[in-house]
Amino acid sequence: THVHDTGLSLNDNLTITTADNDPQLTLISTDADSGVGPRINLYRNSSSPADDDALAFIYAQGENDADELTDYGFIGFFADDVTDGSEDGNAYVILKKDGTNRNRINLTSTETVFNDDSVDVDFRVESNGESHMLFVDGGNDAVILGHSAKVDGINDDNEGVKGSGGHLQLHGATPCIDVFSYSTTNGTHGGINFMKSRNDTVGSNTVITTGDVIGSIAFGGHDGTDYASIMGKIDFQAGGSGMAENDTAGEMVFYTTPDGSGGGGSNERMRIEADGTVRITSQDLKVGNGSSADSKLQFDSNASDWSIGIDQSDSGNLKVSNGTEVHSTPRMIFKAGGLIEHLASRNGNLNYF
């Protein structure tokens, strides 16, 4: 039937059936201007519009192997708010998953949600050179960059942060995190913040206690079997006598794993306490790296500077110096063979008890 220049209005359903793969409906616009065309209007002409009204649905249907008509997916549109001047729309994409309709994309007036029904499906973004540039592992609750799967077993010895709940992994030859800050203000800068509430419920806030580990940075490598054991870590934990408003003292604790530990865990080597005290817990404390440069410990104060170290330019003698360099103003020299030389000529006072 050909309708010429008069349009076609139907007051009943219209079914178009063909027995081939040609399009069943073709809309052609010959308009030459920049306006939209062709277009389809899905118009719900309600005499009493209300919030959350369903406006229109587009279904994709087919048969299953039981010869049943099945909705494999559809797109729905809703009027969330019909108030004049502040109308809100809502649309979603529903797809069949394991025989059940699942919300895969939800577009509301306040957010865009993927996988709103919490189905075990993944989300993947592909770049020009990487098939998994961004990968959300739905089953493992992990966000992965540069790899197709989450690597499990990290820190299974519970030495570092094993990882549960939200998880982020970066994979590649040289993966890194760069933080750029642009400001002319000294105190404005980038950062990585570790925060803790002593509560198991996300979003709930409970005061922490002394000894709580706030954040941990662990280091490790594959040992031929897995990534379960770490080589060392740095913990930052709550210190002092207790926590209160604007009174949150902190400590840093440094660990390394000894050779041949067999997964026995890392040992504390150094601790910086809340009052600034530095405690070295290892058996040996060595200063220097075996080079020809002077090795020294330097003590700074408002009154004076003192250094204790080895003067490489003077036969490697151990010197106590009133200055920043061990060779400049020595007060006492410990020489090979056990000889101790006190330099009174440099205004040093020697007291015997």
Side-chain angles (χ1 to χ4, degrees):
T1 301
H2 178 63
V3 181
H4 180 67
D5 296 336
T6 60
L8 175 64
S9 296
L10 301 175
N11 294 321
D12 205 344
N13 296 337
L14 173 65
T15 300
I16 303 174
T17 303
T18 62
D20 53 37
N21 298 117
D22 294 333
Q24 283 73 42
L25 178 64
T26 301
L27 304 179
I28 300 175
S29 172
T30 59
D31 192 0
D33 63 22
S34 61
V36 177
R39 58 183 281 178
I40 297 176
N41 291 345
L42 305 177
Y43 174 30
R44 179 171 181 177
N45 186 10
S46 173
S47 60
S48 56
D51 293 350
D52 301 322
D53 273 353
L55 300 179
F57 285 79
I58 301 174
Y59 284 84
Q61 297 178 321
E63 299 285 326
N64 63 15
D65 60 6
D67 196 28
E68 296 173 333
L69 179 63
T70 302
D71 297 331
Y72 283 94
F74 61 92
I75 303 174
F77 300 87
F78 293 82
D80 280 356
D81 187 348
V82 297
T83 305
D84 184 21
S86 60
E87 299 89 346
D88 290 330
N90 181 357
Y92 56 59
V93 177
I94 304 295
L95 296 177
K96 192 78 75 178
K97 169 68 174 171
D98 296 328
T100 303
N101 290 331
R102 299 296 189 181
N103 189 329
R104 303 296 293 273
I105 303 176
N106 195 2
L107 308 171
T108 76
S109 59
T110 58
E111 61 181 354
T112 298
V113 183
F114 294 87
N115 194 27
D116 201 25
D117 284 336
S118 299
V119 184
D120 185 2
V121 293
D122 301 328
F123 178 82
R124 182 173 64 89
V125 176
E126 186 167 343
S127 67
N128 184 49
E130 178 57 60
S131 63
H132 291 75
M133 192 69 255
L134 171 63
F135 180 62
V136 179
D137 189 334
N140 290 308
D141 298 327
V143 178
I144 303 163
L145 305 181
H147 193 41
S148 59
K150 175 187 173 185
V151 175
D152 291 320
I154 299 176
N155 295 332
D156 271 349
D157 290 340
N158 293 318
E159 274 289 291
V161 181
K162 182 175 180 180
S164 61
H167 207 132
L168 173 64
Q169 289 186 350
L170 281 69
H171 295 261
T174 55
C176 64
I177 298 176
D178 296 321
V179 180
F180 292 86
S181 175
Y182 302 90
S183 175
T184 58
T185 304
N186 291 339
T188 302
H189 52 77
I192 299 176
N193 299 320
F194 293 85
M195 301 293 171
K196 180 176 181 176
S197 168
R198 209 169 216 277
N199 197 302
D200 292 332
T201 302
V202 175
S204 298
N205 301 311
T206 302
V207 64
I208 59 176
T209 62
T210 299
D212 277 355
V213 177
I214 308 303
S216 182
I217 301 176
F219 306 86
H222 199 273
D223 61 7
T225 301
D226 53 32
Y227 292 94
S229 302
I230 66 171
M231 300 174 181
K233 64 176 180 175
I234 303 172
D235 284 351
F236 201 100
Q237 64 187 43
S241 58
M243 300 293 112
E245 183 179 1
N246 299 324
D247 183 13
T248 53
E251 297 182 346
M252 293 185 69
V253 188
F254 297 80
Y255 300 81
T256 61
T257 301
D259 190 20
S261 65
S266 58
N267 298 330
E268 179 179 333
R269 304 303 189 187
M270 185 176 74
R271 179 182 295 258
I272 304 176
E273 298 181 348
D275 60 1
T277 300
V278 178
R279 298 187 183 276
I280 307 295
T281 57
S282 60
Q283 293 178 341
D284 300 314
L285 174 62
K286 296 182 180 180
V287 180
N289 58 5
S291 68
S292 59
D294 292 344
S295 300
K296 65 181 179 179
L297 288 175
Q298 184 175 329
F299 303 88
D300 296 331
S301 69
N302 292 329
S304 62
D305 297 327
W306 284 86
S307 299
I308 301 175
I310 297 175
D311 187 354
Q312 296 284 4
S313 64
D314 186 16
S315 303
N317 292 325
L318 177 65
K319 297 183 178 181
V320 179
S321 174
N322 183 205
T324 59
E325 300 296 336
V326 294
H327 57 267
S328 57
T329 54
R331 297 304 189 211
M332 185 174 291
I333 303 175
F334 297 82
K335 295 185 176 182
L339 178 63
I340 301 176
E341 180 179 344
H342 175 255
L343 301 183
S345 60
R346 296 185 183 272
N347 299 321
N349 295 320
L350 181 62
N351 298 319
Y352 298 92
F353 297 92

